[in-house]
Every structure is written in C-alpha cells, then in structure tokens.
Amino acid sequence: MKRHHKKRIMLKYFRFFSMISFFAIVFTQDYKSQLEKGNLELSSGRISEAEVTYNSILKNNPGYAPAYHALSKLKLYKGDVVEANKYANKASTLDSGYNSWALKIYAIAKQLRNANQNAQKGLYEDAFKEYDSISDVFPYYSGAEFYKGLTRFRQKNIEEAGKHFSYALKIYPEHKKARKGLENVKKQLLNLGNKYYKLGNYEQAINSYQKSIEIDPYFHLAYYQIGVVYRKQDQFDKSIRYLDKVIEIDPGFYKGWFTIGTHYELIGDPQSAITNYSKAIELNPNYYKASANIANLYTQLGQYRKAETYIDNCISTFPDTVNAEAMVALYTRLANIHIYQDYSSKAKSSLYKALEFGSLDKYGWTILARAHNQLGEWHRAKEAAEKSLELDQNHSQGLAELGNAYEGLEDYDNAFNYYNRLLGDNTWDDYARSKILYIHIANGNSDYALDQFFKNNRDQIKNSKYYYKLGSLYYRSKDYDEAIRQFIRAIELSENEENKAKYNYWAGFAYKEVGIISEAIKYFENSFALDPNAPEILWQIYEAFKSMGIYESAFKIIERLKIVDPQNAHTDIEYDLIIKK
C-alpha cells in the first residue's frame, strides 16, 4: 500500500513538473515570436511599434535578456547611447552571452565623449574620424550622423551638415535635435538664396534654393522662392511649375495661392487670377493684398461696382486698423477704382484718407496727381506728381501728371520737358507726342503742330482714334469747323460707347464755340445718354448748358452728378444755384 501511495505521489510531481516545463517552452517560444516581431518592426523603421513590442515582453517576463538587448539596439536607432548602455548592462547581467555587446556599447559611449570633446576644442577632423569609426560599427546609430552634422555646421559647411542631419532623420525620423539642425540648415540656405535674389544674382539664388531642396525634397518655401525668381525673369512656364509644387506640398500655404494669382494676372488670365486670389483669402480672410488685387482685376474688367464693394467690405471688416500698410494699400486701391471711372473727387477723398495712415507709394501719388489735374487743381497736382518722382525719378505716370500740371499752369517749357522724357516709352509715347503738339499750339505754332501730326501719322490706319486726335488739334487751334468734321468722323467710326461719348462731348463743345446751340445740345445729350456715369464729362456738359442758359438740361445733369459724384463739394453748391435759376 505504501509503495503504491508513494508511486502515485511521484506521478503527480512528474505531471506537475512536466506541465511547468511545457508552459515554459510555450512561453519562451511566444517571447521569441514577439521578439522576432519587434525586430522586424525595428528593421523596417517602425521604431515606436518595436519599442512597444519589446516593453510588452518585459512586462510579462522582466528577466528576458534578449528583449533588453533589443531595446539597447533600438536606443541606438534613437541616438540615445546612455539608454543603450543601460539596457546593454541589464542584458549582460541576466545573460553573460551579451557581455561582448555591453562592452561594445560602453566603448562607443567612451569614443563618443572623446569625439565631442575634440569638436568642442575645434579639432573637427579628429572628431569626425571618431564619429565615422562609430558609424562603421553601428551604421544605424543616428547619434553619430547627428554629431557629424553638428560638426560640419560649426565648420560652416552648411550643405554637408544638412546631409548628415538628413541621414540621421532617415534612421530615426523623430530625432528632435537632427530635425532642428536640418531646419537651421534649410533656413540658412533659404536666407542665402534670398540675399542673392535681392542682389539680382538669380542664378546663385536658385542654386541655394535647390541645395535646400536636395536636403529636404518637401521644403515648400524653397520651391516658392524659385517660382518667384523665375517669374521675376518672365520665365512663366518654369515659375508656375514650381508654384504648383508648393501647393501640392502645402495646400494651406496662402501666399502660394496668392503668387499663383499674380502669375495668371501677369499672363493675362484674370479669371484664373481671381480664383487663386480667392483661395488665398479663403485660407487667410485678412490677407488684404489678395483682396486689393481682386478689386484691381474687377476694375480692369469694367466691373467697377463689384470692385468698389470688394474693397469697402475689406476695409469695414479688416480687424487690424492700426496696420498702416494695409489701410494705405486698401484706400489707394479704392482711389484707383474711382479714377478709372473719372470720379476724381472720390479718388482724392480716398487718398487723403490713406494719408491719415501713412505715406503713399509712387502709384498712389500719381493717382492723387491725376485727380487734382482732372479737377483743375494744378498746384496740388504738381506737388503730388513731384512726390511720386521723388520715389522714382523715371516713373512714367508721374512724369505725365507733372507735365499735365505744368500745362494747366501754362508753364509750357516745363510741361514740354516732362512730356519729352516720355518719348520712346512703349505705353506713353503716343500720349506724349499729342501733348507736345498741344503745347506747340498753345505757343502759337498751330501749323507746325498739324504738319508734325500728319508726318508722324502718315502710315497710321485712319480709325476713330486718329480722327479724334486730329479733331482735338483743330479744336485747340480754334479751327472749330474743321474740328467738328473730324469729331463727327470719329463718332461714325467708333464702336466703343465710352469713346463715342467722349467724341460727342467734344463735338458739342465745338458746336458751342461756333454758336450752333441746337447742335451743341444734341451732341451733349448724346454724350450723356452714352455714358451717364463719368463725372468729368458730366461737369463739362453741365457748365456748357449753364453757360448757354439751358437750365432745365443743366438741372438734369447736376441731379445725375449728385449720384455719381456725391463727395464733390461743388455738387451741392451748383445744385442750389441751378434750382434758383
């Protein structure tokens, strides 16, 4: 009985230890499979996932040496040699088979300290040899690449520094110090490119930007700057390729959309420009430059009300009214919309509002000069035009307005000199030649002026513009009968209602001068019917009707002026006067 009892007890112990051994083998095999999973994650660059896997093994089995060894290696990927050394020692303590690994980690920690000390002493090449030696043994140690980058950065070898920082991030994308180093390198190359750009050295600028792209192919600011440089050189096809790349990398970069808008504006595609400016505003509702440019495009398209509303809304909702630059730009753009429509008083009012916030640019001063010239305020026009030329002595529009002001002041010598400076200018040459002829007429040389006109326009197509210019010369020469014939010819050939209104207006004045009042009234009324919204012409027609004693027609015009030119103080004065008449 005792022998059988003893046998049963021994059998129980055997079964128990067999089960223990079985489960130990199972768990060991499970840890091995988990370890293999972590190693696969690590080798494929999924470092954070590998770390979770290794730690989960140690949570269940704190004495599993291979997991500590794996974590030690993982810390090298992360560039943390101190942590790598700690885990190596733990693995070595649990399993002497990892002694050689622990010694290697200890050795590179010591070697790293020596290399860093050499770098701090300025012994850069000695330091670099040490870092290279570490990389030879542990090519996945991101710390060695980071310190190589730091060393080259201290040597001001920016490009090489960037390559090493970039490689450190390739090993471990979340290496914060390497990321910061790379950002510094990219900024330095970008700033260097910007410096070359400002100096006009576009080739070197692009070279610097390209180097930053080689370091980081997703550096959108470098692509942006290259696009700007090519646009500056009128290489629009190249420019748009780089600008499109900017938006592809960072769709939220509103300045990219804005610059693409300027590209389309420059190549004459206003609708595409408006679309891209609108996207910039969608991303940054307070980006006033985009709003100003959209308003300018609507002005050029003749959609004045839309342009004016756009700027008015922008001004009323702009949150930072202490931003002087923004407010000056917006009020200047509003003045430009007004001056396009010959709303001289409104333009002047907007620009004096802009001046409350800061000084105007050369374009703002020339718009103000034009407004004063149109209102016959010659001295003020002269002052504004001179301000424009102080900013740019060759600014064509400034030269034109200053010539106009001198002409209004009957200082014909100065007017001639400023118009003469516009000759040869692609935009202003024709205008300047006409103005110079007017000055010859004013100086009593009508025959010479007409001879010069026929000589200069011998080969020109005889269109409405030709006959209008010829009629203007005859009018200024006081040959009103001939002026009438030329203006009527211009009216007959013109297909543009705005121009036709102007030609009718001058025909009316020529008839007024020869005393044929009924014809004068007819042409003035034609002009008013064709363009009832141009204040400059309406004022001239009003004065003509008033001077002829045709007060009912004058009243109709002044009523219209109260609508289209409400900011002109003369409107209310004349309204009260004509009511009494």
Side-chain angles (χ1 to χ4, degrees), residues 69 72 76 81 84-85 88-89 92 97-112 133-134 136-138 140-141:
H69 167 257
S72 176
L76 290 181
V81 75
N85 191 47
N89 288 334
S92 176
Y98 292 110
N99 287 350
S100 62
W101 173 263
L103 288 171
K104 283 182 181 180
I105 300 299
Y106 175 77
I108 70 160
K110 184 178 179 181
Q111 198 173 2
L112 188 66
S133 176
I134 294 169
D136 289 341
V137 179
F138 297 104
Y140 48 82
Y141 174 44

Side-chain angles (χ1 to χ4, degrees), residues 357-512:
F357 293 93
S359 186
L360 305 177
D361 62 11
K362 64 182 181 181
Y363 301 105
W365 285 116
T366 52
I367 295 170
L368 184 57
R370 182 177 169 186
H372 282 306
N373 273 329
Q374 288 181 348
L375 294 167
E377 298 164 355
W378 313 117
H379 287 288
R380 301 297 293 275
K382 175 177 170 291
E383 290 171 6
E386 286 172 341
K387 291 273 190 184
S388 169
L389 294 175
E390 284 175 13
L391 298 172
D392 180 356
Q393 61 181 354
N394 296 313
H395 182 41
S396 299
Q397 194 175 344
L399 294 170
E401 294 303 336
L402 188 52
N404 247 327
Y406 276 121
E407 188 180 354
L409 292 167
E410 298 183 3
D411 183 346
Y412 298 123
D413 288 341
N414 270 318
F416 179 88
N417 289 336
Y418 283 104
Y419 291 142
N420 197 55
R421 286 175 62 182
L422 290 169
L423 294 177
D425 185 300
N426 290 335
T427 305
W428 292 92
D429 183 83
D430 187 56
Y431 170 87
R433 289 185 186 280
S434 294
K435 296 297 268 182
I436 288 170
L437 294 180
Y438 294 162
I439 289 171
H440 284 304
I441 292 170
N443 284 327
N445 300 316
S446 297
D447 290 341
Y448 173 80
L450 286 163
D451 285 344
Q452 285 296 111
F453 175 82
F454 290 125
K455 181 180 177 181
N456 293 339
N457 294 276
R458 187 181 297 119
D459 300 323
Q460 184 181 324
I461 297 171
K462 305 302 187 286
N463 55 17
S464 62
K465 184 179 178 183
Y466 171 89
Y467 289 109
Y468 165 69
K469 288 194 289 186
L470 183 56
S472 298
L473 288 175
Y474 280 121
Y475 185 91
R476 286 174 179 262
S477 302
K478 299 187 179 179
D479 186 345
Y480 300 118
D481 289 332
E482 193 59 46
I484 288 168
R485 279 192 286 275
Q486 304 306 328
F487 288 138
I488 289 173
R489 187 74 179 123
I491 293 167
E492 290 170 349
L493 292 174
S494 178
E495 296 179 356
N496 180 288
E497 288 201 350
E498 191 175 330
N499 287 338
K500 193 175 284 190
K502 181 168 65 175
Y503 304 157
N504 272 275
Y505 154 77
W506 280 108
F509 265 93
Y511 273 116
K512 177 176 175 289

Side-chain angles (χ1 to χ4, degrees), residues 248-268:
E248 179 187 323
I249 295 169
D250 185 0
F253 184 57
Y254 66 89
K255 286 186 178 179
W257 293 101
F258 173 79
T259 308
I260 291 173
T262 64
H263 164 84
Y264 283 114
E265 187 171 351
L266 284 169
I267 65 171

